[in-house]
Amino acid sequence: MADAAAGQRGGRGGFGRGRGGQRGRGRGGRGGAAGGRGVEKEEWVPVTKLGRLVKEGKIRSLEEVYLFSLPIKEYQIIDFFLGSKLKDEVMKITPVQKQTRAGQRTRFKAYVVIGDSNGHVGLGVKVSKEVAGAIKGAIQTAKLAVIPVRRGYWGNRIGLPHTVPTKVTGKCGSVRVRLVPAPRGTGVVAAPVPKKLLQFAGIEDVFTQTTGKTKTLGNFVKATFDAVARTYSFLSPELWRETKFQTAPYQTFSDFLANASKVSPLRK
């Protein structure tokens, strides 16, 4: 009878730790088809006025947000408009240390570039205790920092815009990055770091010139991002048309926002 009881308890002398019993070590019974690791995507509940207008379809494009310089404080807004078009690239992960009484505290700093290769690009930097947390935070920060990129022509205006509209310069620390328009078919003539960012921005042809300590990758990619951001700071002749002023979305949909705030889940 003892042998039979031992067989029922797992086959290891009655301690119930056998691999063939009910408490086996397989991963099949941890819940879900993917071994229990799949997490359902939470529904986005906007907490800002801009988020409410975007989710309800009142604002239909990201350009409307940029037109009125509305601050984006929820990364889900970028996901709503760009979504699957966005691509991300981890440029660098470096350890950083801080001296404390208990010793050195090491954390990880991640640089991430995202873009849709069609006039939108973002750069995010995040420090975290773990590499995965740093990358995830940098991606969210990059989404909040997405900017529009203005593109233009070199020579005749044939086809779609393919290069930067004018010569622009960006700087960070000692690094200076200069972007120069290039003929169609030239490609992105740049180092690997700015080349990836320019490709994510949708710039097909451009010459680059750099000075300073470009070995410092963080300053190098920040200077390139600064140069790309300056493309909309020039008032060229095609922008000399008469401006037709429009009311801001917050004013246009003030009644909707007032009603939405009354039934907001945060106020319950």
Side-chain angles (χ1 to χ4, degrees):
M1 295 178 65
D3 295 339
Q8 292 177 0
R9 293 182 182 179
R12 289 187 60 184
F15 291 98
R17 295 295 298 271
R19 292 176 184 256
Q22 296 180 355
R23 298 183 61 183
R25 298 184 184 179
R27 294 184 177 227
R30 301 182 70 178
R37 293 175 180 258
V39 180
E40 294 183 2
K41 191 174 182 180
E42 297 181 0
E43 183 181 359
W44 173 38
V45 179
V47 296
T48 60
K49 293 181 180 179
L50 180 60
R52 297 190 192 110
L53 293 178
V54 169
K55 187 173 182 180
E56 293 297 328
K58 305 296 183 180
I59 297 179
R60 300 181 179 179
S61 67
L62 201 56
E63 278 61 37
E64 294 183 36
V65 179
Y66 296 136
L67 179 62
F68 296 97
S69 300
L70 302 178
I72 300 176
K73 299 187 177 181
E74 296 179 88
Y75 69 91
Q76 293 90 343
I77 296 175
I78 302 298
D79 290 334
F80 184 87
F81 287 119
L82 302 181
S84 60
K85 299 179 183 178
L86 279 180
K87 298 180 181 179
D88 58 84
E89 180 79 16
V90 179
M91 305 303 294
K92 185 179 183 180
I93 299 177
T94 179
V96 292
Q97 292 181 336
K98 178 182 179 181
Q99 187 69 35
T100 62
R101 291 182 179 180
Q104 292 181 342
R105 185 184 68 176
T106 303
R107 296 193 297 173
F108 298 95
K109 189 175 186 179
Y111 295 87
V112 175
V113 173
I114 66 171
D116 63 347
S117 300
N118 191 23
H120 299 97
V121 68
L123 172 64
V125 183
K126 182 67 175 179
V127 180
S128 181
K129 294 181 180 179
E130 298 182 358
V131 175
I135 294 175
K136 182 179 178 180
I139 292 175
Q140 294 181 1
T141 306
K143 290 180 180 178
L144 296 177
V146 168
I147 59 171
V149 180
R150 183 181 171 194
R151 292 167 292 176
Y153 298 88
W154 183 93
N156 294 332
R157 299 176 178 273
I158 301 175
L160 297 175
H162 62 97
T163 186
V164 290
T166 59
K167 298 177 182 179
V168 290
T169 303
K171 57 183 180 179
C172 181
S174 67
V175 181
R176 302 290 185 272
V177 176
R178 190 183 192 212
L179 306 181
V180 182
R184 193 181 297 272
T186 302
V188 180
V189 183
V193 172
K195 185 174 185 179
K196 179 62 68 174
L197 190 144
L198 294 171
Q199 288 175 343
F200 278 178
I203 298 175
E204 301 175 3
D205 309 291
V206 66
F207 294 119
T208 61
Q209 178 186 3
T210 60
T211 58
K213 189 70 172 180
T214 56
K215 186 178 180 181
T216 308
L217 188 144
N219 289 351
F220 198 8
V221 69
K222 285 181 180 179
T224 308
F225 185 73
D226 183 44
V228 170
R230 291 173 184 262
T231 54
Y232 265 108
S233 64
F234 289 88
L235 187 63
S236 53
E238 62 265 20
L239 301 178
W240 288 357
R241 305 169 189 168
E242 183 180 356
T243 304
K244 296 181 180 179
F245 294 99
Q246 304 174 7
T247 57
Y250 293 165
Q251 183 178 355
T252 305
F253 304 105
S254 58
D255 295 338
F256 169 79
L257 293 174
N259 295 332
S261 61
K262 296 179 181 179
V263 297
S264 174
L266 300 179
R267 294 177 177 264
K268 291 183 179 180

